[in-house]
Amino acid sequence: MTTTPCASTEKPVDVFTALVDWLRTAVSTEEHFTLWYSAEASDFIRFNQAKVRQAGHVQQAEATLKLIQGERHANFKVALSGDPVADRSSLQDALTSLRKIVATLPADPYLLMDTSPWRSENIQPGDLASAGEISEQVTTLAKGQDLVGFYAGGPVYRGFASSWGSFGWHEASSCTFDWSLFEPQGNAVKSMYASTYWDSSKVAMQMDSAQRQLAHFGKPTRQLSPGEYRAYLAPAALNEVVGLLNWGSFSARQLATKRSALQKLHSGQMSLSPLVSWREQASGSLSPAFTPAGFQRQDKQLVEAGKMVGQLVSPRSAREYGLTQNGASNGENSQSLVMEAGTLATEDILKTLGTGLYIGNLWYLNYSDMTVARLTGMTRFACFWVENGEIVAPVSTMRFDDSIFNFLGSSLEAVTQNRDLCVSDSTYGQRHTDSTLLPGVLTSRFTLTL
Amino acid sequence: MFDVTTSLQQRFTLLRSNADNWSLRYVSETTHALSVTRNVIDPPFFQKDEGAMIYVRLKGIETYVATSDLTVAGLQRALERAEQYAEALARYSLIDFTDMPVATAKADYVSPNLDKAFPDTREWLDILAAESAAVPRNERFVDWSAELNIVETEQIYLNNHGACLRQSQRFLFPDMRVTAYDGKDTQTRTLGFGRLGQQGGRETIDRIGLVGCAPRLADEALQLLLAPNTPNETLDLLLMPDQMILQIHESIGHPLELDRILGDERNYAGTSFVKPDMFGTYPYGSELLNVSFDPDIPEEIASYSHDDDGCPARKELLIERGILKRPLGGALSQRRSGMAGVANSRACSWNRPPIDRMANLNVENGNKSLAQLIAGIERGVLMASNRSWSIDDARNKFQFGCEWGQMIEQGQLTHVVKNPNYRGVSAQFWRSLSAVGDASTREVMGTAHCGKGEPNQAIRVGHASPACVFSHVDVFGGEA
């Protein structure tokens, strides 16, 4: 079933454009506005025991209006129903409320707007299956197995426009199917299918691969003691490390206020391995090419050969700290982080690891000591003990506690040639579009504590 | 209050369906997000969200469609789409919803003091600005902010069996943060790391202590800069309520969620070390441990009369004298498992379906004052204000970190220590509970950010707890 988040048959871009056109007539000559639009029409299907646990459909649309009077401003987000008259009324109410509060505010010394009339448009069509087709194919493919997972699919829309004439539109139809296969003892292998079209043959191939990995769990589980281990972190595991760092570590604001975990990397007191290079790769990414604040996203090298060479600078931080904004959102988080590939071939990973820990996934990371980028977290899903280049046993769940300046610094031995695109499956509030492109990493010292 | 009721009921009455049961859950939510950072008012953010979720039970399955189009035509389209999903998916359903009881109750639930005068946006900004300005001038203070999120919700549940359940609630989440830096180390003190939310009116801000907190937090941040690291040692551990909230949440709340035990969350939030056969016999904690699901504390975040499936909520002990008694499972999970549960089937908004969630999950009071708790410790450490949390997907091996630590030696509080962390295993940790504080040590807290579910949902949960002492815990500090 193809749907749009609009009640009418109008295209979302036309609905958005009409709202923008109306806003131009609603504001005075002394006022400016920006309007951010976010909408989706999503099928959601949860699976448990290879059957449908919970399923439905969500249509939602919202717009965030910023009203600017001189350097005074405030924001109001409203839900849109899809009915043009009702939605104009909602925006009019928001505008009235904003005028009332903005008049009482002092000038914002850190307001920075892009007043150029830029245009950006990106439409990625998709070919998705119906909820019924997906349910039939997944339950058939997983018949007799313990599959748990979640399908989310449908069109996602983002738009931006301003009274200065800028206009951005991003429209992508896509799906993610994030799932796990469990064996009777509770061990599992996790997989993700993400695409602009549904291809059950590829899901079937993934399922075959997962079943082969699951066979390793037939061996007795190895209980590891706390201590230091050689370890390989697969891209999905490294994605969790990068995800924690992305809680503001690259942020110009956090760095300026000494609250970044990469403070000592930024100051040059510590360094990562020369094998580590990270950049924000806005161009060609799955996320919109523009931000809710109305700036066009930019590529930015953040870490080059182990040294911090850049930071994510929002317009607000740019003005506050005298920096040049580089298309970062107000939260100054990476949306599409890319790590440079290395030279370790996939077929050489186990052989190079020799004896140590193969970590397929990590889970629930947080800081033990943020000042030195010391993290803790758990192993999860496919984690194995390797001896002489061969997987010999699954390992019981273990806690690590270590600094990235160790396991991605002096102890980092190799980075893989192959990189995985990790597409966000987050659906908090709405379907997210972030992604990372990451290799696996092999480290000579990774500390387990519990 | 509830102004939309008549109109919504009229629209609901006009809906037509072939389903056995259908229902509607309408949610309207207004948010004010206000903050002042380093004495500059951040641009205020407001939100008005409104929509409805339609549920249909047909051919033994329940499906949902959520829409922000609240016209009769929009709701009818949603209802018909939900029927189509039910027709298409029924043969693949894990659960047979046939004969599931349906709600018929009519009830209203209202937060305390909604009818009392409430400051407007400008007045709140003035309060926040004054608190920000109260941070003393000192070059070591590199960042500080005062903030307040105000959320007002109205929810109305209707079904084709005549139920009408209405909630009108206001939630306030105040916080204050001060960060100090001495050229080498950074230390931050917060009022509550965003976890001091309560229901009610202006009085909640006074109760939580936002006004006047800045000088204390600033002083404590400076003390931490000068403090030694927490020792790496096995010690007795005194946890203050603003750390107990995380300990309860992660190592009792999540493992007792019945949908996790039934495997629904294994792909995302995780499973549980708790198995169905443990209920009734398993020694979860020492005999001092009593844990309740309590929806009846007016100011606590998740107090309500009925959950989002329309089931009446009442206080239940989940752990009594240390023995595990009852899971956190709503009507559907109770039916699937054959176990008694609680009314905790909840959704974070109109666009997400209800699942088993924590609501108000509290540790019951003991009989010792804070002075008595401290006096009973030969060598230990007090930890307050959570800043780091991590636990395995079965909710067993945990590690938590706090902002504030203070050594206890020979029954006396002594010097401050920084970077206090501790780790343990849930199934063993609660059995080391050796003393529980009385009502004078108890605080009511709440967070807006409990994450779970597919699609993901961040929901408001409440926790009330006294201070508690745990024996022989593995504690450690940082490196800086």
Side-chain angles (χ1 to χ4, degrees):
Chain A
M1 265 175 270
T2 302
T3 60
T4 76
C6 308
S8 66
T9 55
E10 278 188 275
K11 293 179 180 176
V13 65
D14 295 332
V15 170
F16 176 58
T17 303
L19 287 174
V20 174
D21 289 343
W22 174 80
L23 263 177
R24 292 188 201 288
T25 67
V27 297
S28 71
T29 53
E30 289 79 33
E31 294 174 327
H32 280 285
F33 74 85
T34 68
L35 191 71
W36 170 255
Y37 177 87
S38 177
E40 66 186 58
S42 300
D43 284 335
F44 293 135
I45 311 169
R46 295 188 85 173
F47 296 91
N48 185 7
Q49 299 170 35
K51 291 187 175 178
V52 172
R53 159 65 185 91
Q54 193 173 42
H57 181 85
V58 173
Q59 284 180 232
Q60 62 184 46
E62 57 195 22
T64 304
L65 172 65
K66 176 191 282 292
L67 179 70
I68 307 163
Q69 296 174 345
E71 291 196 321
R72 296 172 296 153
H73 64 114
N75 306 288
F76 204 128
K77 180 155 81 174
V78 295
L80 300 175
S81 69
D83 173 61
V85 175
D87 290 343
R88 282 199 297 272
S89 175
S90 295
L91 278 181
Q92 179 63 67
D93 290 346
L95 188 58
T96 301
S97 296
L98 285 171
R99 281 177 173 144
K100 188 177 167 190
I101 187 63
V102 167
T104 73
L105 297 174
D108 179 3
Y110 308 135
L111 175 65
L112 181 65
M113 302 303 301
D114 183 348
T115 58
S116 65
W118 57 264
R119 286 191 74 84
S120 170
E121 188 170 6
N122 177 30
I123 296 177
Q124 301 166 9
D127 183 14
L128 305 178
S130 70
E133 291 167 325
I134 288 158
S135 298
E136 180 187 8
Q137 290 167 16
V138 169
T139 55
T140 301
L141 285 170
K143 191 169 184 178
Q145 301 176 75
D146 189 2
L147 178 141
V148 192
F150 177 59
Y151 171 89
V156 168
Y157 309 89
R158 303 285 188 268
F160 177 86
S162 75
S163 53
W164 291 285
S166 54
F167 186 93
W169 185 253
H170 173 92
E171 178 177 330
S173 196
S174 64
C175 68
T176 56
F177 178 42
D178 178 11
W179 54 276
S180 313
L181 277 189
F182 279 76
E183 52 85 72
Q185 300 308 310
N187 297 302
V189 173
K190 190 173 179 66
S191 298
M192 160 78 104
Y193 176 82
S195 181
T196 55
Y197 62 97
W198 175 257
D199 184 343
S200 63
S201 66
K202 289 192 174 172
V203 176
M205 289 169 60
Q206 288 182 329
M207 219 166 281
D208 284 343
S209 172
Q211 285 165 356
R212 284 196 297 276
Q213 282 194 62
L214 210 56
H216 291 299
F217 287 112
K219 301 162 186 167
T221 298
R222 178 73 60 99
Q223 298 283 340
L224 297 181
S225 301
E228 295 172 354
Y229 292 88
R230 287 179 64 77
Y232 169 74
L233 276 64
L238 185 61
N239 191 45
E240 294 294 320
V241 174
V242 167
L244 179 64
L245 293 175
N246 202 22
W247 286 6
S249 294
F250 303 109
S251 155
R253 185 180 305 118
Q254 303 275 63
L255 286 162
T257 55
K258 315 302 181 189
R259 295 189 295 130
S260 164
L262 299 180
Q263 199 66 43
K264 291 187 186 301
L265 185 67
H266 181 65
S267 65
Q269 292 170 272
M270 302 189 89
S271 60
L272 295 170
S273 162
L275 298 173
V276 175
S277 291
W278 288 327
R279 70 178 183 278
E280 172 70 350
Q281 185 68 50
S283 55
S285 78
L286 301 174
S287 295
F290 46 90
T291 70
F295 285 76
Q296 297 186 81
R297 293 176 57 222
Q298 299 170 22
D299 296 346
K300 181 66 183 173
Q301 193 74 34
L302 300 170
V303 174
E304 178 80 56
K307 310 290 185 192
M308 198 161 192
V309 297
Q311 52 190 329
L312 297 173
V313 185
S314 68
R316 191 168 185 79
S317 288
R319 187 156 175 202
E320 179 167 8
Y321 301 112
L323 303 170
T324 302
Q325 72 81 24
N326 53 27
S329 63
N330 193 47
E332 297 179 331
N333 298 320
S334 166
Q335 289 182 269
S336 40
L337 191 86
V338 170
M339 180 168 170
E340 202 70 32
T343 58
L344 180 62
T346 302
E347 59 271 23
D348 294 334
I349 291 171
L350 294 180
K351 183 177 65 182
T352 310
L353 175 62
T355 296
L357 192 55
Y358 178 103
I359 299 174
N361 299 77
L362 291 173
W363 161 252
Y364 222 133
L365 274 60
N366 213 318
Y367 292 105
S368 294
D369 188 351
M370 184 186 279
T371 311
V372 291
R374 182 176 146 192
L375 325 178
T376 186
M378 302 302 303
T379 61
R380 191 178 181 187
F381 297 113
C383 294
F384 303 105
W385 182 247
V386 176
E387 285 182 359
N388 301 317
E390 301 282 341
I391 290 177
V392 295
V395 295
S396 56
T397 303
M398 291 296 293
R399 172 169 295 286
F400 81 92
D401 189 341
D402 212 332
S403 169
I404 65 164
F405 295 119
N406 168 45
F407 67 87
L408 295 180
S410 53
S411 297
L412 183 63
E413 286 189 358
V415 174
T416 61
Q417 290 173 351
N418 184 57
R419 293 180 293 181
D420 284 0
L421 180 66
C422 304
V423 178
S424 172
D425 57 351
S426 173
T427 47
Y428 284 106
Q430 61 184 5
R431 283 164 54 215
H432 293 222
T433 60
D434 300 350
S435 63
T436 58
L437 181 63
L438 299 173
V441 293
L442 197 154
T443 183
S444 63
R445 186 160 69 92
F446 193 63
T447 306
L448 303 182
T449 56
L450 185 64
Chain B
M1 193 184 302
F2 301 132
D3 294 339
V4 75
T5 306
T6 302
S7 165
L8 192 67
Q9 284 177 319
Q10 288 171 346
R11 281 174 273 169
F12 187 76
T13 304
L14 293 172
L15 301 181
R16 295 290 174 263
S17 175
N18 294 322
D20 309 320
N21 303 290
W22 71 92
S23 61
L24 174 152
R25 186 171 50 82
Y26 161 89
V27 180
S28 170
E29 186 163 295
T30 303
T31 303
H32 293 203
L34 310 173
S35 59
V36 176
T37 302
R38 280 168 271 122
N39 302 336
V40 172
I41 294 175
D42 297 314
F45 175 84
F46 308 95
Q47 181 173 2
K48 174 68 188 292
D49 191 20
E50 188 178 33
M53 179 164 275
I54 298 272
Y55 308 85
V56 158
R57 283 185 197 163
L58 181 65
K59 295 196 171 180
I61 191 173
E62 182 177 83
T63 54
Y64 63 84
V65 169
T67 179
S68 52
D69 182 355
L70 299 174
T71 61
V72 174
L75 294 173
Q76 183 65 43
R77 270 194 298 272
L79 182 54
E80 290 169 6
R81 181 180 289 275
E83 291 173 2
Q84 292 163 12
Y85 275 61
E87 294 276 1
L89 304 183
R91 77 193 75 165
Y92 313 113
S93 181
L94 175 69
I95 301 166
D96 183 358
F97 285 81
T98 309
D99 301 330
M100 267 290 290
V102 294
T104 55
K106 293 180 170 61
D108 288 347
Y109 186 87
V110 178
S111 288
N113 298 318
L114 275 194
D115 56 342
K116 300 288 194 307
F118 193 71
D120 65 16
T121 299
R122 187 61 241 190
E123 290 172 278
W124 283 123
L125 285 172
D126 289 342
I127 290 169
L128 296 175
E131 209 53 43
S132 174
V135 174
R137 288 185 178 277
N138 186 319
E139 64 182 12
R140 287 174 292 179
F141 294 133
V142 291
D143 197 29
W144 64 93
S145 67
E147 58 191 66
L148 175 63
N149 282 1
I150 304 165
V151 181
E152 295 176 332
T153 69
E154 283 204 359
Q155 175 165 308
I156 301 174
Y157 173 92
L158 305 171
N159 68 16
N160 65 328
H161 296 271
C164 180
L165 299 166
R166 306 189 298 180
Q167 297 175 9
S168 181
Q169 294 170 291
R170 183 197 287 132
F171 309 96
L172 293 96
F173 295 91
D175 210 357
M176 175 87 201
R177 170 175 53 81
V178 181
T179 299
Y181 175 70
D182 63 2
K184 295 178 295 186
D185 192 12
T186 302
Q187 292 291 331
T188 296
R189 279 296 278 140
T190 66
L191 183 61
F193 209 81
R195 300 191 183 108
L196 295 182
Q198 292 189 1
Q199 289 193 56
R202 171 70 171 83
E203 77 286 351
T204 64
I205 300 304
D206 300 328
R207 196 162 50 221
I208 291 168
L210 174 68
V211 176
C213 72
R216 173 179 66 83
L217 297 177
D219 178 65
E220 290 177 352
L222 292 179
Q223 286 189 56
L224 286 168
L225 282 181
L226 298 171
N229 261 304
T230 301
N232 299 342
E233 197 174 336
T234 299
L235 294 172
D236 286 354
L237 176 62
L238 169 56
L239 295 183
M240 298 305 286
D242 58 359
Q243 171 55 27
M244 282 296 296
I245 178 175
L246 253 291
Q247 190 67 56
I248 297 165
H249 185 94
E250 304 288 7
S251 68
I252 293 180
H254 281 307
L256 295 195
E257 289 164 345
L258 192 45
D259 60 344
R260 294 176 75 112
I261 296 170
L262 292 168
D264 291 351
E265 290 283 340
R266 288 177 293 167
N267 185 58
Y268 176 59
T271 177
S272 175
F273 73 90
V274 174
K275 306 302 174 199
D277 60 5
M278 293 178 175
F279 289 91
T281 58
Y282 182 72
Y284 206 104
S286 76
E287 284 200 347
L288 298 174
L289 182 64
N290 293 286
V291 178
S292 63
F293 167 89
D294 191 348
D296 298 328
I297 298 172
E299 72 272 24
E300 198 165 357
I301 280 289
S303 291
Y304 50 76
S305 65
H306 292 73
D307 71 6
D308 294 340
D309 282 343
C311 294
R314 63 170 180 264
K315 181 175 179 177
E316 301 283 1
L317 277 180
L318 308 184
I319 298 172
E320 187 172 8
R321 293 176 61 83
I323 300 298
L324 181 62
K325 295 287 188 183
R326 187 183 285 253
L328 283 164
L332 178 60
S333 292
Q334 292 173 39
R335 180 183 166 95
R336 291 168 69 191
S337 65
M339 286 191 283
V342 295
N344 70 324
S345 185
R346 305 175 63 209
C348 67
S349 189
W350 59 269
N351 59 359
R352 294 291 182 266
I355 54 176
D356 290 340
R357 302 306 303 251
M358 275 175 261
N360 291 339
L361 183 69
N362 304 337
V363 167
E364 299 290 294
N365 295 335
N367 59 5
K368 292 192 186 309
S369 67
L370 185 60
Q372 289 172 319
L373 294 176
I374 294 167
I377 296 173
E378 180 69 19
R379 179 166 171 77
V381 60
L382 173 153
M383 294 192 194
S385 305
N386 179 272
R387 72 174 189 185
S388 178
W389 59 102
S390 174
I391 191 165
D392 72 55
D393 66 301
R395 299 285 155 171
N396 222 356
K397 292 182 177 180
F398 65 79
Q399 179 175 317
F400 297 129
C402 293
E403 295 174 2
W404 180 260
Q406 201 165 356
M407 295 301 294
I408 302 171
E409 290 156 314
Q410 296 180 327
Q412 300 284 325
L413 272 178
T414 59
H415 63 280
V416 176
V417 288
K418 67 180 179 180
N419 303 321
N421 294 280
Y422 65 101
R423 60 171 82 94
V425 177
S426 299
Q428 299 158 10
F429 183 78
W430 288 103
R431 287 179 218 142
S432 73
L433 177 66
S434 57
V436 179
D438 61 18
S440 70
T441 73
R442 176 181 180 265
E443 291 181 27
V444 175
M445 297 154 290
T447 176
H449 304 295
C450 174
K452 185 185 169 185
E454 295 172 310
N456 303 150
Q457 304 192 44
I459 205 165
R460 291 177 283 266
V461 302
H463 298 295
S465 178
C468 290
V469 177
F470 300 84
S471 301
H472 307 300
V473 179
D474 184 12
V475 308
F476 59 99
E479 296 168 23

